[in-house]
Amino acid sequence: MAFHLSCAGLADALQLGITRPGLAMRAVHMNDVQRRSAQGTEDDFMNASPEKITPETCALAASWANLSPLLVEIRARRSEFGRAQKVPEEIIEGFKRVGVYRAMVAKRFGGEERTPADFCRLIERISEADGSAGWVASFGDGARYLAALPDDTLCKVYANGPDVVLAGALFPLQPAKRTSDGFVVNGVWPFASGSPGADLIGVGITVEDDPTGELPRVAVMPAEKVTIRPNWDVIGLRGTGSHDVVVSDVIVPEEWTLIRGGPPTIDVPLYHYPSVAFAAQAHAIVGIGIARSALDEVVAMAGSRASITGAPVMAERGYIQLEIARAEAMLRSARSFFYEATEELWMEALKGAATLGTTTLMRLAATNAARQGAEVCRIVGGLAGTEALDTNSNLARAMCDSFVVAQHAALNEGTLQSAGRFLLQRAIQPGFP
C-alpha cells in the first residue's frame, strides 16, 4: 500500500520517530520542549516551520525517511562486516537509496548538491549504527573530488545516474609514464577504503614535468581495471575494506585525471568548499557518531546493571555520574565546534571563496572531533567494565573503531601542530589545510 505524506508532515513524523536510540529511551523523561530541543540539533528541517520548508528541505527529509530501515539492517548485521572485511553490496545499495552518493553531485547530473553540514549529519547517523558503515559512506564526498574532472568526462561519469561510488588511495604517489593515449599507471596503493564496492577507483600518480605544482594528480579508472589485494587485518574499522589496490599497465586518458585540491570545473557554491578539508571532516564525523552510540549504550545499561560485588546499579554510583556528565560535555562540545566551523566555511563558500583561516579552523575542528570521539569511547568503555570486553560487543567495537578514526593521517596530531602554527602566524607545512 502506498504511503503519502506532505513535506511538512514528513518532517514532523521524522521529528517524532527517527531518533538516536539513547535519545528515544530518554525521551520519556522529557517534556515536549526538551524533546524538540534535543532532536532539533540533528537537522534544521526537523524544526522548520511549514512556510520555511523548501523543495530541497523536503528532499532531505525524504532521504531521512528511507534511512531508518537501513540503520536497523546495519545494526543487525554489523558484526559480519568485520569478518568479511567489507561492507556488503546490499548495504552499498542502501546508501544509494538514501542519497549518500548523489548528495555531493551537481544537480545538472541528477545530484542533490547538499550542504556539507547536511552530508556530515547523514554520515554521523550511519556511524551511530556502525563505524565501518559510516566510514565507507563518508566516501560519498568523492563527488567533490570528481568535480575537478573535465566537464565532458563528468558527463560520462554520470551518464547512468548520480549514484556513482568512488574509492581509492592517494599515497604513496607512483610514477606514471605519459604517452599519446594518456598515462600508463602501475603501482600498489594501501588503505583503499570502500574499494570492494566501488564503481570507480582513483590512485595518486606523479608525472615528469607535470605543471600541477605540489598538488597530486589522481588517475580515475573503472574498478574492474584494478586488483584488490585483501590485507585489511586490523583492530578497528575492520569492515571498511581498506585493502591494497594494485594497478598494472592501465592506460588512463589525461581527461580522466584530476588534481586533488585543484579548482573544480563546475561553478556552483558546493564546489567552492575546500575538497581536502571536506574529506577530513567527513572522516572525523564518523568518530562523533561512534561515540554517541557508545555513550547512549552505557547510559541505557546504567539504570539496571548492578555489580556482581553487590555495589549499587551503575546510575547510582557517584563516579559513574561524574564521568557520564564529562563524556556528554566533551561530545557535545566537539560536535558543536565541528558544525559551527562547517557553517562558517560554508558561508564563505557561498560567497565564492574560502579563506585559509576559516579552512584551518575547520581542520582543527575535524581533528578535535575525531580525538574527542575516541576519548569518549575510552571513558564509557571503562565505565562499562566487563561488558566492553566481548569482541562482538558494540562497546568493544566502538573503542577500536574510534581509535582508528583518530589515527587517520588527515586527523592526527600533525594537523593540530599545523593549525597551531597557523594560529601563531608561523609557516605551515605544504599541503595543509
Side-chain angles (χ1 to χ4, degrees):
M1 180 176 66
F3 179 68
H4 300 285
L5 192 62
S6 68
C7 188
L10 180 55
D12 290 341
L14 289 170
Q15 184 173 345
L16 293 173
I18 302 180
T19 62
R20 294 195 300 258
L23 282 179
M25 180 193 66
R26 295 195 296 271
V28 296
H29 302 295
M30 297 179 178
N31 61 37
D32 288 342
V33 174
Q34 290 172 322
R35 185 180 297 110
R36 285 194 295 270
S37 176
Q39 292 177 338
T41 56
E42 291 295 315
D43 290 281
D44 292 341
F45 79 83
M46 285 186 174
N47 284 328
S49 57
E51 65 273 11
K52 292 184 178 180
I53 293 178
T54 65
E56 289 78 13
T57 305
C58 192
L60 177 59
S63 287
W64 280 75
N66 297 332
L67 184 59
S68 188
L70 177 61
L71 297 183
V72 171
E73 182 178 4
I74 289 172
R75 286 190 178 95
R77 301 181 59 184
R78 57 192 176 189
S79 293
E80 71 183 69
F81 301 166
R83 294 193 296 269
Q85 295 185 340
K86 67 177 182 179
V87 172
E89 182 179 347
E90 52 269 32
I91 300 297
I92 301 297
E93 291 300 313
F95 291 160
K96 292 179 180 179
R97 288 195 303 272
V98 301
V100 167
Y101 299 111
R102 61 179 174 272
M104 297 288 106
V105 176
K107 291 180 180 178
R108 57 173 291 206
F109 296 121
E112 297 178 351
E113 292 183 28
R114 296 268 188 96
T115 70
D118 284 343
F119 180 77
C120 287
R121 289 188 181 99
L122 182 62
I123 301 307
E124 182 183 4
R125 286 295 304 279
I126 294 170
S127 301
E128 288 180 25
D130 179 65
S132 289
W135 189 264
V136 171
S138 76
F139 286 88
D141 74 334
R144 174 63 188 86
Y145 281 137
L146 291 176
L149 287 170
D151 190 78
D152 288 347
T153 304
L154 287 172
C155 290
K156 296 174 183 177
V157 168
Y158 298 117
N160 296 318
D163 297 309
V164 176
V165 184
L166 173 70
L170 187 62
F171 297 106
L173 300 177
Q174 303 286 1
K177 181 180 178 182
R178 187 188 294 272
T179 70
S180 58
D181 296 322
F183 302 105
V184 180
V185 179
N186 287 280
V188 179
W189 290 262
F191 308 122
S193 297
S195 53
D199 302 312
L200 297 173
I201 290 180
V203 295
I205 62 173
T206 59
V207 181
E208 188 175 353
D209 299 324
D210 200 345
T212 62
E214 296 179 344
L215 297 176
R217 184 180 290 273
V218 179
V220 180
M221 64 198 76
E224 58 265 25
K225 293 189 176 183
V226 177
T227 300
I228 297 173
R229 180 188 292 170
N231 61 350
W232 184 242
D233 187 11
V234 292
I235 65 168
L237 296 181
R238 297 177 61 232
T240 59
S242 303
H243 307 296
D244 289 359
V245 290
V246 182
V247 179
S248 301
D249 290 328
V250 175
I251 298 177
V252 180
E254 184 165 0
E255 62 269 22
W256 279 86
T257 68
L258 60 90
I259 308 305
R260 177 178 179 263
T265 55
I266 303 174
D267 187 17
V268 297
L270 177 59
Y271 297 150
H272 296 155
Y273 197 92
S275 59
V276 177
F278 186 45
Q281 70 183 99
H283 292 336
I285 199 61
V286 174
I288 294 292
I290 294 169
R292 171 50 65 191
S293 175
L295 179 53
D296 283 352
E297 182 162 331
V298 173
V299 168
M301 74 170 62
S304 59
R305 184 168 182 263
S307 170
I308 59 174
T309 63
V313 295
M314 290 175 62
E316 295 298 332
R317 302 175 207 168
Y319 76 93
I320 297 283
Q321 297 162 1
L322 291 172
E323 290 296 273
I324 287 294
R326 186 164 74 95
E328 186 71 33
M330 289 174 59
L331 184 57
R332 285 178 178 263
S333 298
R335 186 178 187 275
S336 294
F337 179 25
F338 179 93
Y339 283 111
E340 176 186 292
T342 302
E343 291 299 339
E344 288 180 4
L345 192 56
W346 175 238
M347 289 300 104
E348 290 190 349
L350 288 173
K351 296 176 182 177
T355 65
L356 180 59
T358 306
T359 306
T360 298
L361 285 177
M362 182 67 258
R363 290 297 302 272
L364 176 60
T367 298
N368 180 68
R371 295 171 68 83
Q372 296 290 16
E375 178 64 9
V376 167
C377 289
R378 186 196 65 79
I379 290 171
V380 299
L383 296 179
T386 56
E387 287 289 325
L389 300 182
D390 189 331
T391 55
N392 292 318
S393 75
N394 182 51
L395 289 174
R397 186 184 303 108
M399 286 190 291
C400 293
D401 286 354
S402 63
F403 171 77
V404 174
V405 170
Q407 294 298 108
H408 193 276
L411 301 168
N412 63 21
E413 287 189 346
T415 63
L416 293 177
Q417 182 180 4
S418 294
R421 290 187 64 84
F422 176 83
L423 294 170
L424 293 168
Q425 300 181 0
R426 296 294 185 268
I428 56 177
Q429 64 186 31
F432 185 88

